[in-house]
Amino acid sequence: MATIEDIGVSAAINILSAIIFLLAFAFLRLQPINDRVYFPKWYLKGARQSPSHGGAFVRKFVNLDMRSYLKFLSWMPAALQMPEDELISHAGLDSAVYLRIYLIGLKIFVPITILAFVVLVPVNWTNDTLEGMKVEHSDIDKLSISNIPFGSKRFIAHLVMAYAFTFWTCYVLLREYEIVSTMRLRFLASEKRRPDQFTVLVRNIPPDPDESIGELAEHFFLVNHPDHYLTQQVVYNANKLAKMVKEKKKMQNWLDYYQLKYERNTTTRPTVKTGFLGCFGSKVDAIEHYTSEIERIEKEEAEEREKIVKDPKSVVPAAFVSFRSRWGAAVCAQTQQTSNPTVWLTEWAPEPRDVYWDNLSIPIVHLTVRRLIIAVAFFFLNFFYVIPITFVQSLANIEGIEKAVPFLKPVIEMDTIKSFIQGFLPGIALKIFLILLPSILMFMSKVEGLTSVSSLERRSASKYYIFLFFNVFLGSIIAGSALEQLQSYLHQSANQIPRTIGVAIPMKATFFITYVMVDGWAGVAGEILRLKPLVIFHLKNFFLVKTEKDREEAMDPGSIGFDSNEPQIQLYFLLGLVYAVVTPFLLPFILIFFGLAYVVYRHQLLFLGLLSTKGAGQSTPVLLVLPVVTFYFHKYCKNRYEPAFVEYPLQEAMRKDTLERAREPGFDLKTYLASAYIHPVFKGDDDDEKFSMADEVEADQVLVATKRQSRRNTPVPSRHNGSESPSLPEIVNDQRL
């Protein structure tokens, strides 16, 4: 069990690591050779030029201006000074809202920390309950609720603070919900025109023996949305072609590398082995080998393109349907299209760059099976991860380590080593075990069949938080408490075990303190260094880059990793709110995380583009009100504010459409949307015209030739029964009247 000395050692290590990361970043960002790594968004927007274009040769790589090093911390005020409106304009609304999460943490926990240390810490410290109990504890635990004697009236202070902290948190959240929902509506009203504002993704289009998916979709929406339908683009299963394009690009990179290598040394032709991983097989000329490979892939690629064009099976029963106005798109996306709720499923189309094309070809009937399989796999992943979590908790138990490796006991008993093991090792071990988890959860989300990158990130984030809650939070508390209090369990009656658990849970705060310092202090400081993008950029720049376009492709701004960072933030909120009353000593460490993370991620976005069961007999009837209050608060906020984030109000859509028609009365929306949702592998090629929507029905054309044999969904006469029905123009005219 970690003591104050152990926490001090851990704090020193993590603070030193954070300082090293920040100083390394401050130095590296000043070097011209790293300029594109730390300012990629500015280069992509054309707002910055490389400082290595001119001057002496050394100055192209190293900053020799000593005065700039005196201002090595200038990035901090630069990151904090930009107003929020300008931040939204520069980095987008999502970035601004993401940063507000850290501000919410500061707004919630600064008053809570002050109040907890003024009221609860003195109440807890002025007792000696733990001294008289047969439980393992440290001096830090005397600051927790575990040091209050059973049945003491001092619990009143904790009850009052529990209500105060809850109401304060609800108040802050309520205000932030109001602010953010207003920000979103204002942003929607002011942002520029985008294809996804006019487009709906339609899935599970029912098959028809006489009409293609494109003809069927066009006919359906001309009949059911005659005044607003504009055009459509069917979805093609081009996954195989996409793999070919990716493979050709990989071969092209190798060809560029070997050509550049040959240009630097023309005396020797580069060679490569054709076997496994380039380590086995016969040696051949590298340039000729990759040239022939590219020619082979290009031939296969052309054949696959032709197959997609001619084979109806390549068309997926889905389409991107565009409308003349945002209002028309909103009505379609937010309503049920037919009496059968399993066909003609509509949802807002993601941005073209956000579409995850690989999953659009998955039949919708397979999605339920896929999600069931992933749910079962996720359950077993949570279950088996208890093993490494228990191992991590065992690292904080010195006695357990000494029993496992008795020959190391003299070394472990050294004060410095003991403090390192108990104060730093558990946190860093847990961090290591969690490194691969986001990638595993992202893969599982992709298998589920979600159709946009943002939805994949949200689903992965929700899985990650569930995992952190059950394994890191509950698992660490249960496993850690069991390991630390094992001797107590063995030497007391069974009816005393629940009380011992209730005492032990608040004392697990020391483990979470070490984890917060490793992940929330040093981890966040290491984020700003961008070590991985730095290394990758210089490797690509040296081996692959030949043109400015190649350099821009190597200059990847990356992302902040929403699917892993956001669940971590939720975990810190959970730890802070759970331990605020039972162990307030944790709160300052949470505060430092939110403050540091706010500064770091503001820079990144700008330039990169529960209670103890002890005393439950007296306090539970009073505390039962809190879950009820928080549940109804959750329901209220969900009903009041969630629609603002998942729906597009028709009033706002109509207002935006009216303003745009007044400002740009002659804007050709159809041409603007023509190629927005073409699969990326077809863009920029001669085959674009085959997949373009530009040759679809004209804007003023209403009548659609149909081959359908059924009159169930169309007013056109059936060729089988010969019965008459109104023509499509008559239906449209009646609807307009």
Side-chain angles (χ1 to χ4, degrees):
M1 179 175 293
T3 63
I4 292 180
E5 291 77 9
D6 301 337
I7 298 298
V9 170
S10 179
I13 294 174
N14 287 288
I15 291 173
L16 182 61
S17 300
I19 291 175
I20 291 174
F21 288 143
L22 294 175
L23 289 177
F25 162 72
F27 174 79
L28 291 173
R29 69 184 290 271
L30 294 175
Q31 310 310 315
I33 195 174
N34 300 324
D35 208 55
R36 291 179 178 269
V37 179
Y38 294 109
F39 302 92
K41 182 173 289 188
W42 297 85
Y43 278 94
L44 295 176
K45 295 178 69 172
R48 190 178 180 94
Q49 292 185 347
S50 176
S52 62
H53 281 169
F57 178 78
V58 177
R59 291 183 179 273
K60 295 181 179 181
F61 303 95
V62 181
N63 186 354
L64 300 180
D65 185 2
M66 295 297 106
R67 290 174 299 176
S68 63
Y69 292 97
L70 300 177
K71 301 177 181 180
F72 67 98
L73 293 178
S74 61
W75 64 272
M76 288 188 177
L80 296 173
Q81 287 173 357
M82 180 178 286
E84 189 171 64
D85 290 340
E86 190 175 342
L87 174 65
I88 294 174
S89 176
H90 176 74
L93 180 64
D94 289 344
S95 299
V97 173
Y98 180 80
L99 288 175
R100 291 194 71 90
I101 300 177
Y102 296 105
L103 284 179
I104 292 172
L106 294 174
K107 290 178 181 179
I108 290 176
F109 289 115
V110 167
I112 287 179
T113 302
I114 295 172
L115 200 57
F117 270 79
V118 170
V119 177
L120 296 181
V121 170
V123 171
N124 295 335
W125 180 259
T126 55
N127 286 277
D128 56 0
T129 304
L130 291 175
E131 298 293 340
M133 297 184 66
K134 297 180 180 180
V135 294
E136 293 290 333
H137 68 277
S138 66
D139 290 339
I140 295 176
D141 301 322
K142 295 179 181 179
L143 300 175
S144 74
I145 198 174
S146 299
N147 203 34
I148 304 297
F150 180 76
S152 173
K153 292 183 179 180
R154 294 192 177 203
F155 279 118
I156 296 176
H158 299 82
L159 291 175
V160 172
M161 288 300 102
Y163 275 93
F165 296 165
T166 300
F167 288 133
W168 171 249
T169 301
C170 291
Y171 171 74
V172 173
L173 290 176
L174 193 64
R175 292 202 57 183
E176 286 297 323
Y177 279 136
E178 189 70 41
I179 292 172
V180 173
S181 60
T182 303
M183 287 171 58
R184 182 177 186 271
L185 293 177
R186 188 170 65 243
F187 179 78
L188 290 176
S190 61
E191 69 174 336
K192 296 180 180 179
R193 182 188 294 109
R194 294 201 321 264
D196 56 293
Q197 297 170 351
F198 301 87
T199 306
V200 171
L201 173 60
V202 185
R203 306 187 72 186
N204 207 25
I205 299 175
D208 188 276
D210 300 303
E211 289 185 327
S212 67
I213 295 296
E215 293 171 333
L216 184 59
E218 182 178 62
H219 183 235
F220 178 87
F221 284 98
L222 272 174
V223 170
N224 297 285
H225 299 266
D227 295 327
H228 305 284
Y229 169 77
L230 180 61
T231 187
Q232 54 83 23
Q233 172 63 58
V234 295
V235 178
Y236 293 88
N237 185 356
N239 292 348
K240 184 178 179 180
L241 179 59
K243 291 179 181 178
M244 292 179 178
V245 172
K246 185 177 180 180
E247 180 68 16
K248 185 177 74 172
K249 185 176 181 180
K250 177 182 176 182
M251 294 297 175
Q252 186 64 51
N253 285 338
W254 279 113
L255 178 61
D256 291 343
Y257 165 70
Y258 283 112
Q259 285 178 337
L260 190 61
K261 183 179 180 179
Y262 180 65
E263 289 173 3
R264 291 171 178 171
N265 183 14
T266 57
T267 59
T268 306
R269 296 277 294 185
T271 60
V272 65
K273 292 184 178 182
T274 59
F276 180 69
L277 296 177
C279 301
F280 304 95
S282 58
K283 278 188 176 183
V284 296
D285 186 284
I287 297 177
E288 293 179 357
H289 171 71
Y290 285 109
T291 300
S292 63
E293 285 295 304
I294 292 174
E295 291 175 352
R296 176 185 62 81
I297 296 174
E298 285 179 342
K299 182 179 179 181
E300 294 177 356
E301 184 182 329
E303 294 174 353
E304 182 64 20
R305 287 176 184 268
E306 186 176 357
K307 178 182 176 182
I308 292 174
V309 173
K310 296 180 178 180
D311 189 1
K313 293 182 179 180
S314 297
V315 181
V316 178
F320 290 99
V321 180
S322 298
F323 295 81
R324 303 179 191 276
S325 64
R326 296 173 179 84
W327 192 93
V331 170
C332 181
Q334 297 164 189
T335 56
Q336 182 175 312
Q337 301 304 304
T338 69
S339 58
N340 184 355
T342 64
V343 297
W344 296 101
L345 305 179
T346 59
E347 60 184 89
W348 279 106
E351 290 188 60
R353 61 179 179 175
D354 191 38
V355 177
Y356 190 70
W357 295 94
D358 291 357
N359 282 351
L360 283 175
S361 61
I362 301 175
I364 202 163
V365 294
H366 294 177
L367 297 182
T368 302
V369 178
R370 284 171 168 257
R371 289 168 184 172
L372 178 60
I373 294 173
I374 293 301
V376 174
F378 182 61
F379 170 80
F380 282 104
L381 179 66
N382 274 275
F383 181 79
F384 286 112
Y385 239 91
V386 172
I387 298 173
I389 295 298
T390 304
F391 170 74
V392 169
Q393 290 302 317
S394 69
L395 294 177
N397 187 6
I398 293 295
E399 292 77 9
I401 298 177
E402 291 176 347
K403 288 181 180 180
V405 284
F407 59 91
L408 292 179
K409 185 174 180 179
V411 178
I412 294 174
E413 288 296 331
M414 296 174 60
D415 291 341
T416 304
I417 301 299
K418 188 175 183 179
S419 296
F420 175 82
I421 293 175
Q422 294 192 136
F424 179 74
L425 193 58
I428 192 66
L430 180 58
K431 179 73 174 176
I432 292 172
F433 278 122
L434 295 177
I435 286 179
L436 295 178
L437 189 61
S439 299
I440 296 173
L441 297 179
M442 177 59 78
F443 171 77
M444 296 173 72
S445 298
K446 290 179 179 179
V447 174
E448 285 188 272
L450 301 172
T451 57
S452 68
V453 176
S454 56
S455 62
L456 288 171
E457 291 180 340
R458 290 193 298 270
R459 184 64 62 88
S460 297
S462 64
K463 286 188 177 70
Y464 195 18
Y465 176 71
I466 293 172
F467 181 91
L468 292 177
F469 177 77
F470 282 103
N471 282 278
V472 176
F473 181 66
L474 293 181
S476 297
I477 288 176
I478 296 172
S481 299
L483 289 171
E484 290 175 358
Q485 308 303 330
L486 184 60
Q487 292 297 322
S488 300
Y489 297 155
L490 297 176
H491 296 88
Q492 62 184 201
S493 60
N495 60 350
Q496 292 294 318
I497 292 179
R499 182 178 296 184
T500 303
I501 295 176
V503 173
I505 288 175
M507 296 191 295
K508 284 309 298 175
T510 53
F511 166 74
F512 291 119
I513 288 172
T514 63
Y515 179 70
V516 169
M517 287 190 292
V518 170
D519 182 67
W521 293 11
V524 169
E527 173 70 24
I528 201 170
L529 190 58
R530 286 175 54 81
L531 187 59
K532 181 180 176 180
L534 179 68
V535 173
I536 292 176
F537 171 77
H538 286 302
L539 287 176
K540 288 183 176 181
N541 192 42
F542 183 79
F543 291 110
L544 300 177
V545 170
K546 298 176 67 177
T547 65
E548 194 65 25
K549 183 180 179 181
D550 296 335
R551 188 169 285 107
E552 287 184 2
E553 291 180 355
M555 183 181 58
D556 181 16
S559 68
I560 60 174
F562 176 86
D563 56 318
S564 58
N565 288 341
E566 195 272 341
Q568 291 286 69
I569 301 173
Q570 292 190 54
L571 177 64
Y572 294 135
F573 274 105
L574 176 66
L575 293 175
L577 294 174
V578 168
Y579 280 99
V581 175
V582 297
T583 312
F585 189 72
L586 176 68
L587 292 174
F589 299 89
I590 299 289
L591 270 181
I592 294 175
F593 159 73
F594 279 112
L596 178 62
Y598 176 74
V599 176
V600 167
Y601 285 109
R602 208 173 202 278
H603 172 273
Q604 300 295 74
L605 292 171
L606 283 175
F607 296 97
L608 305 177
L610 299 107
L611 280 178
S612 168
T613 57
K614 186 180 191 291
Q618 286 84 7
S619 62
T620 297
V622 182
L623 290 175
L624 281 177
V625 180
L626 271 182
V628 176
V629 171
T630 52
F631 174 76
Y632 276 100
F633 176 77
H634 162 73
K635 294 294 291 183
Y636 170 78
C637 291
K638 183 178 180 66
N639 294 332
R640 169 63 178 84
Y641 297 109
E642 188 180 48
F645 300 95
V646 297
E647 306 288 357
Y648 196 164
L650 297 181
Q651 182 184 28
E652 298 297 326
M654 180 61 75
R655 182 182 293 120
K656 182 70 173 177
D657 291 331
T658 304
L659 286 173
E660 274 197 358
R661 281 195 292 265
R663 292 170 180 169
E664 302 175 83
F667 183 78
D668 189 355
L669 183 62
K670 191 171 186 178
T671 302
Y672 173 72
L673 297 171
S675 60
Y677 287 96
I678 295 175
H679 197 292
V681 297
F682 300 115
K683 290 187 176 181
D685 295 323
D686 295 336
D687 295 284
D688 278 4
E689 296 179 0
K690 301 176 183 178
F691 297 87
S692 175
M693 299 184 291
D695 298 328
E696 301 290 343
V697 60
E698 293 299 325
D700 57 349
Q701 184 177 351
V702 177
L703 182 61
V704 178
T706 179
K707 303 174 184 177
R708 297 193 53 149
Q709 300 179 11
S710 170
R711 53 178 297 193
R712 186 182 347 179
N713 293 323
T714 175
V716 176
S718 171
R719 294 185 299 179
H720 283 261
N721 55 26
S723 61
E724 295 293 333
S725 63
S727 67
L728 184 59
E730 292 173 346
I731 294 293
V732 173
N733 290 331
D734 289 343
Q735 290 176 344
R736 288 177 174 173
L737 292 175

